[in-house]
């Protein structure tokens, strides 16, 4: 599965975007995403009906994480701390699962994402 990851290099003062590929099963995808974000727990924020943004749930409590302001496809303004992984919402009978996104969706995000950095976390 492929995902799109956005971060911000606080030393170089520039956005960084990358495509990541995880060879995950349905049972291990959440652990693999957490490992990629170097965190223990994940937080999810819908970007659109099909796309979800995944971040470190404790991002605001860590030091030197970028704070992003993003306008979702619903018109909402959300603020997220740390790197963001974009994935697909996959509706199942019982819940919503996470899946990879297509290259077309990644290009669409790169071209149309309304994102800016508004600060840096100080940690606790």
């Amino acid at each position: 599965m492929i995902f799109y990851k956005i971060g911000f290099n606080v030393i170089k003062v520039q956005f960084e975007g990358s495509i990541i590929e995880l060879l995950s099963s349905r049972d291990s995808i959440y652990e693999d995403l957490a490992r990629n974000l170097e965190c223990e727990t994940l937080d999810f924020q819908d970007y659109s009906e099909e796309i979800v943004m995944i971040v470190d749930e404790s991002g605001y409590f860590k030091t030197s994480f970028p704070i992003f302001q993003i306008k979702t496809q619903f018109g909402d303004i959300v603020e997220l701390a740390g790197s963001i992984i974009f994935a697909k919402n996959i509706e199942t009978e019982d819940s919503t699962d996470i899946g990879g996104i297509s290259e077309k969706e990644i290009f669409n995000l790169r071209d149309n994402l309304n994102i800016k950095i508004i600060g840096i976390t100080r940690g606790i």
Side-chain angles (χ1 to χ4, degrees), residues 3 8 13 17 21 23-24 26 31 33 41 44 58 65 76-77 80 84 94 99 108 115-116 120 122-123:
F3 303 91
F8 187 81
V13 191
E21 184 172 356
L23 303 174
S24 304
R26 183 176 287 220
E31 292 85 9
L33 289 166
T41 54
F44 302 86
S58 302
F65 270 28
D76 302 329
I77 303 293
L80 302 171
I84 304 167
D94 299 322
N108 186 42
I115 186 171
K116 62 182 173 180
I120 303 291
R122 295 183 194 188

Side-chain angles (χ1 to χ4, degrees), residues 1-9 14-22 32-39 42 51-56 65-66 68 70 81-88 99-102 105-107 109-110 113 115:
M1 288 184 268
I2 63 170
F3 303 91
Y4 186 52
K5 183 177 181 180
I6 291 181
F8 187 81
N9 186 317
Q14 67 183 21
F15 282 94
E16 296 178 329
S18 61
I19 295 173
I20 57 173
E21 184 172 356
L22 299 177
D32 294 341
L33 289 166
R35 189 174 15 264
N36 188 277
L37 289 171
E38 299 177 5
C39 67
L42 301 170
I51 305 292
V52 64
M53 299 178 286
I54 305 167
V55 296
D56 179 349
F65 270 28
F68 296 106
I70 299 167
S83 295
I84 304 167
I85 294 177
F86 290 86
K88 177 87 78 170
I101 61 177
S102 70
E105 290 166 319
I106 292 170
F107 288 124
L109 283 168
R110 285 181 39 194
L113 187 63
I115 186 171

Side-chain angles (χ1 to χ4, degrees), residues 59-65 120-124:
Y60 276 101
F61 304 108
K62 296 184 178 177
T63 304
S64 299
F65 270 28
I120 303 291
T121 60
R122 295 183 194 188
I124 304 181

Side-chain angles (χ1 to χ4, degrees), residues 87-104:
K88 177 87 78 170
N89 275 323
I90 299 175
E91 298 293 328
T92 65
E93 187 174 308
D94 299 322
S95 66
T96 303
D97 286 336
I98 299 300
I101 61 177
S102 70
E103 290 181 18
K104 180 180 178 184

